[in-house]
Amino acid sequence: MTRNELQEAFTRTLKEIKLIKRQIKDATDPREKRNLIRRKRELQYLQLWHINQLKNMD
């Protein structure tokens, strides 16, 4: 991946995390809430990976 692709992926991931946070707040079903939290956590790990890849490019 190029630097620009990584930055775009980072931005997309951040937007998705924000969206999921809103969905978690609005969720009433515990199972749905748990799945959303799990997805948010996965995206946060992905975001850390993107950051790490960007740092390694320097």
Side-chain angles (χ1 to χ4, degrees), residues 1-57:
M1 290 182 99
T2 66
R3 180 180 266 313
N4 287 339
E5 290 172 334
L6 277 170
Q7 289 173 336
E8 289 173 13
F10 180 84
T11 304
R12 272 194 317 271
T13 304
L14 184 60
K15 287 179 184 177
E16 195 171 344
I17 289 171
K18 288 179 181 180
L19 175 67
I20 288 178
K21 282 183 177 181
R22 276 189 250 123
Q23 291 175 341
I24 290 170
K25 190 173 74 172
D26 296 337
T28 56
D29 180 29
R31 183 178 295 150
E32 178 188 3
K33 199 170 199 170
R34 189 170 51 246
N35 288 338
L36 287 167
I37 291 170
R38 185 177 297 127
R39 178 68 181 143
K40 182 184 75 146
R41 194 174 300 130
E42 290 170 358
L43 289 169
Q44 288 170 327
Y45 285 127
L46 179 61
Q47 198 173 36
L48 289 174
W49 183 83
H50 289 141
I51 292 170
N52 193 26
Q53 293 299 310
L54 284 168
K55 284 182 181 178
N56 288 337
M57 287 185 159

